Amino acid sequence: MNEQNVTKSIVFTVEPGGTLHGELRVPGDKSISHRSIMLGSLAEGVTEVTGFLEGEDALATLRAFRDMGVNIEGPDKGRVVIHGVGMRGLKTPAGPLNMGNSGTSMRLLCGLLSGQRFNTTLTGDSSLSGRPMRRVTEPLAEMGAVIGTTEVGTAPLNVCGDQPLHGIQFDMPVASAQVKSCLLLAGLYAVGRTCVTEPAPTRDHTERMLAGFGYPVQRDGATACVEGGGKLTATNVEVPADISSAAFFMVGASIASGSDVLLEHVGVNPTRTGVINILRQMGADITLSNEHDVGGEPVADIRVRSAPLKGIHIPEDQVPLAIDEFPALFVAAACAEGETVLTGAKELRVKESDRIQVMADGLHTLGVDARPTEDGMVIQGGGAGCQLGSGRVKSHDDHRIAMAFAMAALRASGPVVIDDCANVNTSFPGFVGLARGTGLKIKD
Ligand code: S3P
């Protein structure tokens, strides 16, 4: 049996009901973990990272830099020590760099590798190989990069080295932190200034971390700029817990009557807190305490107690701030009183799966009236006393779909069985154990 067949076989079986209780720390932030490896590798000096996410996606980034000659110790209980090689110190990898399921690795590395003196090939699994890459390869080409894609603009990506890059001003057509970060990383190697303007605020970890490594980033409203030719200086990075992983417990505790959880040391960068804003608008009982800054990123403990939720029209300006949390939010909507309407979220169709269609299909299996639209969903929630149905749903190898439906079981009338859950390890290793310890009746 090959590896893929083995990983395919993970199935979650979640018995219905229960409540969530306890204090827990979910694994490290995926976005910040990726960036810590990238900038730590290109820095001068030794960077120590703590709280690093030991999930498959961040490990794909780590392996890629090892393959390019960077000495990286760990990860050991979230500790990684990176011996930076400087901006020009990466070496030609022996073969293609496999990014697995990770869009962030592929898109950010594509920018960074455009500025190297050697050729590279970026590959990924079947999901990643179907995701749109022209959103990065086209603006990179404007900067002078030469990158080959398939005819339909997907991976494998062949990034040609030794191409002189020049800075551009790019107005992003989609609100994407991956595109913004890709171009800023290429901009480090470009002659002149690279500026990226976003149509709506997206996560700004790249800008913050570049500044933390001593690289000046000019930010003016929706525009971020870097001047090429600078250098990065090693620094230590403490990665907060991932709000995108915490989101499953925020929704679970909200919908399971009698629940009370404290999520510790969660990153609450305002470009990531859409899930808190949306759940609060739905009536959720969420309080933040112990708010402080860690290495340029705000963190807090988040307490969530169950509360009756109501359906809302989700404000479109919250969409990029909660872009990864919609699978969980759809489950919240199914348990809320009345209609929840999401618009302006077409991007969900090109994530690890088509999250609009796949969530609608699974919610139908659980008896929920969920109508997918081109750019969102309309969900009729049953309200505080309602039970969802039960049944077997497909995660389509999408980690966040699997975890969202696991939480749905808290309000189901019978077991929820979820197929193809191996990719939960891409972002949330240990999910089953942590969720079970908190009260979810899950087994794999
Ligand atoms: C990410 C940006 C988002 C998000 C992804 C991580 C990042 O993607 O969905 O999980 O780390 O920059 P887009 O920028 O494509 O929206």
Side-chain angles (χ1 to χ4, degrees):
M1 219 192 256
N2 67 27
E3 200 185 322
Q4 205 160 23
N5 286 336
V6 174
T7 54
K8 281 269 182 211
S9 66
I10 293 182
V11 172
F12 289 171
T13 303
V14 197
E15 296 301 326
T19 53
L20 299 186
H21 281 279
E23 298 174 4
L24 62 155
R25 181 163 173 163
V26 300
D29 188 278
K30 185 152 73 72
S31 294
I32 298 176
S33 294
H34 283 299
R35 288 158 172 82
S36 71
I37 298 289
M38 296 179 191
L39 300 193
S41 294
L42 297 176
E44 288 172 20
V46 179
T47 290
E48 182 184 321
V49 184
T50 50
F52 181 77
L53 170 65
E54 296 186 34
E56 283 307 318
D57 278 11
L59 292 173
T61 294
L62 186 152
R63 277 191 292 267
F65 281 88
R66 266 195 193 136
D67 288 351
M68 291 187 286
V70 183
N71 174 10
I72 305 177
E73 298 170 53
D76 179 16
K77 297 189 194 75
R79 182 172 177 270
V80 177
V81 178
I82 309 163
H83 298 262
V85 295
M87 295 300 290
R88 285 285 169 205
L90 297 178
K91 298 208 172 72
T92 317
L97 300 172
N98 184 354
M99 304 290 106
N101 191 241
S102 177
T104 308
S105 309
M106 183 168 281
R107 295 206 178 104
L108 270 59
L109 268 179
C110 181
L112 197 155
L113 293 171
S114 297
Q116 307 305 315
R117 299 210 167 104
F118 50 84
N119 300 340
T120 35
T121 299
L122 299 173
T123 61
D125 70 5
S126 60
S127 154
L128 183 54
S129 302
R131 295 179 66 184
M133 291 298 147
R134 284 195 183 123
R135 56 178 61 196
V136 288
T137 58
E138 285 179 355
L140 286 172
E142 271 183 54
M143 295 177 75
V146 177
I147 302 164
T149 68
T150 65
E151 258 174 37
V152 289
T154 54
L157 304 180
N158 292 306
V159 187
C160 296
D162 230 0
Q163 307 295 321
L165 302 185
H166 54 84
I168 57 166
Q169 153 66 53
F170 186 66
D171 287 320
M172 286 198 296
V174 283
S176 165
Q178 292 181 353
V179 175
K180 173 177 65 175
S181 302
C182 163
L183 299 180
L184 292 176
L185 292 173
L188 305 182
Y189 292 93
V191 173
R193 220 163 125 84
T194 300
C195 294
V196 188
T197 302
E198 50 190 10
T202 67
R203 65 191 70 193
D204 64 355
H205 306 300
T206 302
E207 297 91 306
R208 286 176 189 248
M209 201 182 287
L210 279 170
F213 277 81
Y215 205 107
V217 180
Q218 291 84 43
R219 300 181 69 178
D220 182 11
T223 302
C225 304
V226 292
E227 191 81 34
K231 67 170 189 160
L232 297 162
T233 306
T235 183
N236 293 339
V237 180
E238 189 189 323
V239 182
D242 197 330
I243 191 169
S244 297
S245 297
F248 300 104
F249 291 90
M250 291 166 64
V251 167
S254 294
I255 64 173
S257 174
S259 296
D260 186 351
V261 298
L262 185 74
L263 295 149
E264 292 166 342
H265 203 72
V266 181
V268 288
N269 178 319
T271 60
R272 296 287 298 282
T273 46
V275 62
I276 297 178
N277 304 334
I278 293 167
L279 282 174
R280 276 185 173 155
Q281 211 178 319
M282 295 175 80
D285 179 354
I286 302 175
T287 46
L288 268 55
S289 61
N290 194 17
E291 290 180 63
H292 61 289
D293 256 46
V294 171
E297 289 281 351
V299 298
D301 296 335
I302 303 177
R303 184 173 183 189
V304 187
R305 284 173 282 194
S306 55
L309 302 181
K310 60 178 194 306
I312 59 165
H313 279 57
I314 297 173
E316 287 198 5
D317 63 358
Q318 293 299 312
V319 170
L321 311 181
I323 193 66
D324 291 338
E325 284 65 79
F326 285 102
L329 286 167
F330 291 151
V331 170
C335 300
E337 181 83 48
E339 184 173 87
T340 293
V341 181
L342 172 68
T343 54
K346 209 171 172 184
E347 276 296 293
L348 294 180
R349 292 202 177 271
V350 290
K351 292 295 179 186
E352 286 83 329
S353 70
D354 175 346
R355 287 183 174 160
I356 292 176
Q357 193 59 51
V358 170
M359 282 303 299
D361 291 346
L363 287 171
H364 291 159
T365 301
L366 301 186
V368 178
D369 177 354
R371 185 166 58 81
T373 61
E374 201 196 339
D375 66 342
M377 184 113 76
V378 181
I379 296 175
Q380 308 300 332
C386 84
Q387 270 194 330
L388 308 177
S390 65
R392 189 165 196 128
V393 297
K394 289 188 166 62
S395 77
H396 286 262
D397 293 308
D398 184 330
H399 53 140
R400 300 200 198 279
I401 304 283
M403 292 184 275
F405 280 117
M407 290 299 169
L410 289 161
R411 287 282 290 274
S413 54
V416 176
V417 178
I418 309 153
D419 282 326
D420 300 333
C421 297
N423 277 342
V424 165
N425 274 330
T426 61
S427 67
F428 201 149
F431 170 74
V432 169
L434 202 59
R436 199 165 37 219
T438 313
L440 192 70
K441 299 173 187 173
I442 183 169
K443 60 179 193 312
D444 59 1

